[in-house]
Amino acid sequence: MIKVHSPNTLGTVDIQSANPLDMPLIQMHRFADGSDELDRVVQNVRFIRKLLLKSGTKFANYVVSEDLPGANVTTDADIKKFIKQYVWGHHVCCTSQMGKANNKKAVTNSKGQVFGVSHLRICDISIFPKDPGYFPFLPIYIASEKIAAEITKKWKK
């Protein structure tokens, strides 16, 4: 299942040191915003199980068994526990937002420069204030071109 457009923007990415090669500390904080997002994912698990496993459906003839979360994970509490343990995200979106220095949520300026860290720029999906959608390549490419132009302009001087 893919969940896009999460209203949760509570995730964080923290720099561990001044060395730009050190891995940052990434905390997704999924399902921490008090929304019903986790309940909706549980509903999705139940729907997919019904669609694929219930005898009489067209798909049931092709599915031998459920691998994950597994037939033993049946209650809402068990499904929630499984989801929290195994959920992942490949887009740490909106964790290093671009904005002005007086914006408490902003981490970078319009040139991709990280506030308070010299010689470090960010140009990925983390700079957006809101999730740009299912296929964020175009906005990332546009931001990349803009920030690359800023870097090029600086070094041509």
Side-chain angles (χ1 to χ4, degrees):
M1 280 179 274
I2 296 177
K3 172 70 175 93
V4 180
H5 297 300
S6 172
N8 181 354
T9 58
L10 299 176
T12 61
V13 177
D14 293 315
I15 296 171
Q16 304 251 25
S17 76
N19 182 348
L21 300 177
D22 284 349
M23 187 68 141
L25 176 63
I26 301 170
Q27 298 292 331
M28 298 290 280
H29 297 298
R30 295 296 308 257
F31 313 115
D33 64 348
S35 73
D36 67 344
E37 187 176 15
L38 181 56
D39 291 327
R40 287 185 281 137
V41 177
V42 170
Q43 290 173 357
N44 289 342
V45 169
R46 292 201 177 284
F47 173 76
I48 290 170
R49 281 178 164 173
K50 184 177 178 181
L51 182 69
L52 297 178
L53 300 173
K54 186 178 178 183
S55 69
T57 65
K58 292 181 181 181
F59 298 105
N61 297 331
Y62 303 101
V63 178
V64 177
S65 65
E66 176 182 324
D67 187 32
L68 292 173
N72 60 330
V73 179
T74 57
T75 67
D76 283 359
D78 288 343
I79 295 171
K80 285 179 183 181
K81 182 178 176 184
F82 175 85
I83 292 166
K84 286 180 179 179
Q85 184 176 358
Y86 290 98
V87 72
W88 63 277
H90 57 286
H91 299 298
V92 184
C93 189
C94 312
T95 55
S96 303
Q97 294 179 29
M98 185 179 283
K100 297 189 185 293
N102 62 353
N103 178 345
K104 290 181 182 178
K105 291 187 175 185
V107 175
T108 68
N109 63 17
S110 63
K111 298 176 183 178
Q113 297 167 312
V114 176
F115 298 129
V117 182
S118 61
H119 309 297
L120 178 61
R121 293 180 194 248
I122 296 174
C123 187
D124 59 21
I125 198 166
S126 69
I127 66 172
F128 295 100
K130 287 187 173 182
D131 185 344
Y134 287 94
F135 299 104
F137 301 111
L138 183 59
I140 292 170
Y141 289 151
I142 292 169
S144 298
E145 287 293 326
K146 181 190 181 311
I147 291 172
E150 291 290 341
I151 293 169
T152 303
K153 185 174 21 175
K154 177 184 176 182
W155 291 105
K156 281 187 175 180
K157 288 182 180 182

